[in-house]
Amino acid sequence: MFGRPRKTFARLRTSARAKASSGPARRPHNLFEAAAVYVSARAEDDQDRIDEATGWVSPEALSFGVSELACRAVVALARERDESPRTVARALLGLPVA
């Protein structure tokens, strides 16, 4: 009674393993890679790369990665300009200095 479903499942499992082992070994993208590609693609208005990056990680992970990238960019610019991160962030957004 269960012989046929068991054989079918075993065949599918073997097929899936063969596909996985036959392809090149690719590591998954991490959220920081996705964020870097996403932000640079947005800056260049490259919709294909934007779509690609959004498929690499969950929306929550991408949001966290973009936020982390923004923080690091503001800190790096602040150090470069010898200004406070608050001043740099407001200037980047076109806000008046508070």
Side-chain angles (χ1 to χ4, degrees):
M1 180 170 148
F2 293 107
R4 190 174 198 169
R6 187 178 303 137
K7 287 179 185 178
T8 303
F9 177 72
R11 197 173 25 235
L12 288 172
R13 188 177 59 201
T14 304
S15 174
R17 284 183 191 159
K19 285 181 185 177
S21 65
S22 66
R26 294 182 60 181
R27 63 179 179 75
H29 297 282
N30 69 39
L31 64 102
F32 296 116
E33 270 184 311
V37 170
Y38 179 80
V39 169
S40 63
R42 290 281 312 264
E44 297 169 354
D45 199 26
D46 185 345
Q47 190 61 47
D48 291 336
R49 283 187 31 226
I50 291 170
D51 294 340
E52 181 182 3
T54 57
W56 291 350
V57 295
S58 71
E60 296 84 11
L62 184 60
S63 177
F64 174 78
V66 169
S67 177
E68 185 66 22
L69 179 59
C71 290
R72 292 179 187 195
V74 167
V75 168
L77 278 174
R79 287 181 182 154
E80 185 179 295
R81 296 178 180 181
D82 198 26
E83 296 177 349
S84 73
R86 182 178 187 199
T87 302
V88 170
R90 294 183 69 83
L92 287 171
L93 292 171
L95 299 172
V97 179

